Amino acid sequence: MTAPVIAAHGLTKRFGDFTAVDGIDFEVPPGESFGLLGPNGAGKSTTMRMIGAVSQRTAGDLTVLGLDPDSHGPEIRSLLGVVPQEDNLDTELRVRDNLIVYGRYFGIPRSVCATRADELLGFAQLEEKRNAKVDDLSGGMKRRLTIARALINEPRILMLDEPTTGLDPQARHVLWDRLFRLKERGTTLVLTTHYMDEAEQLCDRLVVVDKGRIMAEGSPSALIRQYSTREVVELRFGSERNAEAATRMAGLVERIEVLPDRVLLYAEDGEAVLERVTDLGLHPTTSLVRRSSLEDVFLRLTGRSLIE
């Protein structure tokens, strides 16, 4: 079997008395799109920093491309492409020059950097902005440029920390398309996100992380099948009436979740359940039948919403 490009066993990171990453185990084979899904503060970014050889682990074992990040940091960093949570583009340089100068940090000849920069601007759909100032780009364009820059050294692994945070829906979908193209090329992707739709779109496999621990692992579809039903009925009765309505609906389905703003009923046939709710004489102000998502998986595993 092909050796994993990342292997973590008992990986732990403490900051004083606080444990940010609590003995997690996972492996990433080459060419996989692997995700760390969890809320802010779950330990995702801390794990990424240890993989990226910029933060030493407290305990456990970790290898990246067969090397120990604590002792082979420069070697590992030369083989990674990193897209940080916040864009850190050089605003004093124009778009194309951001790529060329960054490539020179890796010792890549300028002529090679120039050729790769033109190719990556095409990939990122930024050809027309090649001579523009960074500050003149939209948020989505800046994000695509940051990804293009991370690819200038032809990395073995592309790491993306919350790649679409702050982007509008259209920009998110354009970025997803670029990342999906990288998946098709066989690039190994490792990403963190707290957007369940993003994880479902991009990840072949993921771990659900909360409070530094792995709660579940598998493909998005497998996790949904294991921890949720096919459909979910969302009902809103008003914040003062949701709990009372949930009590009256007890027995309609095996699982009910009462959130501050709505009640969730988990069922295989949402429309049938909605009819039974009406038969009870209950009339929600709004109702929605939808398919289960990773948000429901997280709620089942932790008892709280993914985005709070």
Side-chain angles (χ1 to χ4, degrees):
M1 294 180 64
T2 304
V5 293
I6 301 171
H9 302 285
L11 184 61
T12 302
K13 180 67 176 183
R14 300 188 188 93
F15 298 96
D17 295 332
F18 174 69
T19 301
V21 178
D22 194 3
I24 63 175
D25 303 308
F26 64 89
E27 293 186 350
V28 181
E32 182 175 67
S33 181
F34 179 80
L36 293 153
L37 176 68
N40 294 328
K44 307 185 304 296
S45 294
T46 301
T47 300
M48 293 282 271
R49 286 194 290 271
M50 288 188 283
I51 295 171
V54 294
S55 177
Q56 292 194 336
R57 63 189 182 277
T58 304
D61 297 315
L62 176 64
T63 60
V64 180
L65 298 168
L67 302 172
D68 185 334
D70 288 356
S71 55
H72 295 84
E75 294 173 64
I76 290 173
R77 288 192 291 273
S78 71
L79 299 170
L80 300 179
V82 179
V83 179
Q85 193 167 133
E86 299 291 336
D87 292 324
N88 57 356
L89 299 164
D90 192 330
T91 57
E92 295 182 2
L93 298 175
R94 296 188 181 273
V95 166
R96 184 172 182 266
D97 292 335
N98 258 273
L99 303 182
I100 294 173
V101 171
Y102 190 74
R104 294 291 290 143
Y105 292 145
F106 292 94
I108 304 170
R110 177 172 289 274
S111 60
V112 176
C113 287
T115 299
R116 291 184 186 176
D118 291 336
E119 293 172 352
L120 289 169
L121 288 175
F123 169 77
Q125 295 180 312
L126 292 171
E127 302 102 318
E128 295 181 359
K129 299 292 184 179
R130 55 192 289 125
N131 295 317
K133 295 180 179 179
V134 169
D135 285 339
D136 293 336
L137 301 181
S138 67
M141 289 177 180
K142 289 179 181 178
R143 211 64 182 136
R144 299 204 302 275
L145 179 59
T146 304
I147 291 174
R149 187 188 63 179
L151 296 170
I152 196 73
N153 61 321
E154 297 185 337
R156 298 272 303 278
I157 303 171
L158 180 63
M159 301 175 61
L160 306 109
D161 195 3
E162 304 285 356
T164 64
T165 295
L167 298 185
D168 62 64
Q170 182 178 4
R172 289 180 74 207
H173 282 279
V174 172
L175 191 59
W176 286 353
D177 175 69
R178 299 298 99 180
L179 294 176
F180 190 78
R181 289 170 186 260
L182 289 174
K183 280 181 57 177
E184 291 182 322
R185 295 180 184 182
T187 303
T188 302
L189 304 181
V190 179
L191 65 115
T192 71
T193 183
H194 60 265
Y195 294 130
M196 56 281 186
D197 56 343
E198 183 160 274
E200 289 185 49
Q201 287 282 338
L202 297 178
C203 296
D204 301 318
R205 187 169 56 91
L206 58 87
V207 291
V208 179
V209 184
D210 187 38
K211 298 178 181 177
R213 297 182 178 181
I214 292 177
M215 311 297 292
E217 179 179 349
S219 69
S221 59
L223 288 172
I224 292 170
R225 286 194 303 270
Q226 182 176 356
Y227 292 102
S228 192
T229 54
R230 189 171 69 90
E231 294 184 338
V232 183
V233 182
E234 291 193 5
L235 303 175
R236 285 180 168 84
F237 296 91
S239 56
E240 302 298 325
R241 297 185 57 225
N242 283 334
E244 176 191 350
T247 300
R248 291 183 59 184
M249 292 184 292
L252 288 185
V253 293
E254 293 185 7
R255 176 185 166 206
I256 297 178
E257 296 281 358
V258 182
L259 302 183
D261 61 334
R262 62 195 186 279
V263 181
L264 306 181
L265 282 70
Y266 290 86
E268 294 303 312
D269 186 342
E271 293 293 344
V273 169
L274 191 56
E275 289 183 9
R276 294 173 67 188
V277 169
T278 303
D279 291 341
L280 289 174
L282 293 170
H283 302 286
T285 55
T286 65
S287 62
L288 170 69
V289 176
R290 61 168 174 82
R291 70 178 183 86
S292 281
S293 72
L294 288 171
E295 174 89 17
D296 302 296
V297 172
F298 189 84
L299 187 60
R300 175 70 176 271
L301 292 171
T302 68
R304 58 195 179 89
S305 179
L306 183 62
I307 302 176
E308 296 188 324

